[in-house]
Amino acid sequence: MFTPTEENYLKAIYKLSGNEKEFVSTSKLAETLDTSAASATDMIQRLSKKGLVHYHKYQGVNTSPSGEKAALQVIRRHRLWEVFLVQKLKFNWNEVHAIAEELEHIKSPQLIAQLDKFLAHPKYDPHGDPIPDAEGKMAPRPTTTLNMLATGDLGKVISTKDSSSDFLLFLDKLNISLGAEIELLDYFAYDGTYSVRINHGPAITLSGKVAGNIFIEKL
Amino acid sequence: MFTPTEENYLKAIYKLSGNEKEFVSTSKLAETLDTSAASATDMIQRLSKKGLVHYHKYQGVNTSPSGEKAALQVIRRHRLWEVFLVQKLKFNWNEVHAIAEELEHIKSPQLIAQLDKFLAHPKYDPHGDPIPDAEGKMAPRPTTTLNMLATGDLGKVISTKDSSSDFLLFLDKLNISLGAEIELLDYFAYDGTYSVRINHGPAITLSGKVAGNIFIEKL
DNA sequence: AATATTATTTAGATTAACCTAAAAATAAAC
DNA sequence: GTTTATTTTTAGGTTAATCTAAATAATATT
């Protein structure tokens, strides 16, 4: 079907282009995949020839319907493996991404079907990201981040926007996990920081960057 | 460390050279790995330069100590994944080999350590083959096959010599699984077949080929 | 609007893993 | 013990995925 590299490009293009199906620039894609712009151009052209992406020279790329379908399969596999690693193998949520990056390229449909069954058909991965079903359908990603709340609002952490190991370890240190309740006490325009209470604990300060990477369901 | 292809070659060389550490011919290796003799020579020379095999032009190859260690790690990963697939994901023993061939190349030592723990440190895979521990040590492979028993002997099935899907499905049909008790009733020199009783059931006939691929512990 | 800067693509090379065909070495046959 | 057949190696080429450097297009600046 597809090589692991092709799958990685499709996934990255799909994710970067977002809900609005915006066109993704070669440089953005190359940076995401930690490769050169020349390599990205090369692969984009290969994917374009296979009809997996829409490509306009110098303008950017987009997944085509078939490319999106392929990307969603990779994302499904990735997220199911992450659930397995955390729930069954007892990994911490910051350790699973790199391993799932490898596991996601094993394409046996039976394997994924049985894994999904074994995990009791999970709907979200350990970072709160929705898992596409076998047809590629999944729950919408949340849109509200902690920094969008008004002073005095109470919210529940439902997913992380950044799932880098560093960020997740930092959240661990702050005792912020999925399901945690966060009350926004105050906003300081001067340095863009937030004063919050986590699980009804003492007031602490969060940077704007951190607050912008925590998806919240308003309560 | 090693590419998946390098690992496949090391594993094949290790297995083909057996307990006696015999030298393996290029053609045998190429046939096993379903590739050309030229490709095999190519890879043998690469592995030799890296000190992973002992190689004498036109004579054959052998794993060196470092090559053997690498091969045992791959075999360990392969067999652990097979246990997972059968015990946890409920695959039949004939379906797991191909999938484990892919999973075995994921090298995260943490992943394997946690998987091993999750599976409660299994000593044997679903075909009865011993699983090397983290240091590469494992139980010896059995030596007695069903066709070595004497008339009237009773034995227990402890592993399969051939683990091809076809053979395993055939054993399923005969109701022969690991742990089954087999009594050798008679041997017919004329066509090399055996009359046996499986789990104290009715007498049936097995070919010499089948009898030679079933490892037995004499009871 | 012309020029400078940045982004993108093309050109040309490299590496791993393969292939076929030809050459060389070993083993088998007469 | 030559000759023939087989096995193995070498030579040369291909594809996927990468790279750097050069060329071209798009964007920003003055």
Side-chain angles (χ1 to χ4, degrees), chain B residues 113-129:
Chain B
Q114 297 290 93
L115 179 65
D116 186 41
K117 198 175 174 184
F118 179 58
L119 299 172
H121 311 290
K123 295 271 165 293
Y124 297 92
D125 79 7
H127 314 107
D129 292 315

Side-chain angles (χ1 to χ4, degrees), chain B residues 1-14 24 29 33 39-56 60-68 70-71 74:
Chain B
M1 211 58 149
F2 308 116
T3 67
T5 308
E6 285 173 335
E7 290 189 338
N8 287 337
Y9 271 88
L10 287 171
K11 194 175 56 149
I13 294 166
Y14 174 77
V24 177
L29 187 56
L33 293 168
S39 297
T41 299
D42 231 54
M43 179 56 83
I44 289 166
Q45 290 173 345
R46 263 158 51 60
L47 294 175
S48 181
K49 262 184 213 136
K50 292 192 177 187
L52 295 162
V53 297
H54 297 138
Y55 173 48
H56 300 294
V61 257
N62 224 343
T63 47
S64 73
S66 63
E68 177 173 330
V74 181

Side-chain angles (χ1 to χ4, degrees), chain B residues 158-177:
Chain B
I158 52 171
S159 99
T160 63
K161 194 168 184 179
D162 177 3
S163 48
S164 70
S165 183
D166 285 351
F167 181 60
L168 297 171
L169 278 177
F170 184 58
L171 292 185
D172 281 345
K173 222 175 254 173
L174 295 171
N175 243 300
I176 297 176
S177 56

